[in-house]
Amino acid sequence: MPYVRAFVPLKHPACARARLLEALTAKQRHSMYFTLVRRIITALRDVPLVRDTVIVTSSAEVEMFAGHLGVRVMHQVRDTGINSACEAAIA
């Protein structure tokens, strides 16, 4: 049976949720970011065809978080956006 490798491109946490800058504190945005990441990884683990999940990021903090979740990481040298993260993942 074929399987799927899921690549999850993630910005640096400090850059994420910028649209909520006026509505949430930095601590709230940070907490929300990692809560959403955990939910995404959990959802992917529940999909039978997804056998491998890889987070693509330039953030050391996200890399450590991924390690705690048991998820592999593809390290980007710098955060150049989601499109470049996706391109790196499929290269």
Side-chain angles (χ1 to χ4, degrees):
M1 174 182 267
Y3 73 92
V4 174
R5 175 174 291 138
F7 289 94
V8 182
L10 294 173
K11 296 179 181 180
H12 191 284
C15 301
R17 316 276 42 131
R19 290 175 292 218
L20 298 173
L21 194 60
E22 294 179 16
L24 301 173
T25 66
K27 185 176 180 179
Q28 289 170 321
R29 288 190 318 276
H30 187 269
S31 176
M32 180 183 198
Y33 176 90
F34 284 102
T35 297
L36 293 173
V37 171
R38 184 181 302 276
R39 287 182 182 176
I40 290 165
I41 298 306
T42 300
L44 288 169
R45 284 187 173 147
D46 290 342
V47 177
L49 287 178
V50 176
R51 300 287 168 94
D52 187 24
T53 301
V54 181
I55 289 177
V56 183
T57 188
S58 64
S59 167
E61 183 179 12
V62 173
E63 287 186 29
M64 287 189 339
F65 186 74
H68 293 306
L69 295 176
V71 177
R72 293 188 316 126
V73 174
M74 176 183 282
H75 179 77
Q76 286 185 289
V77 176
R78 59 192 156 116
D79 190 345
T80 54
I82 289 180
N83 289 341
S84 66
C86 291
E87 289 171 5
I90 61 174

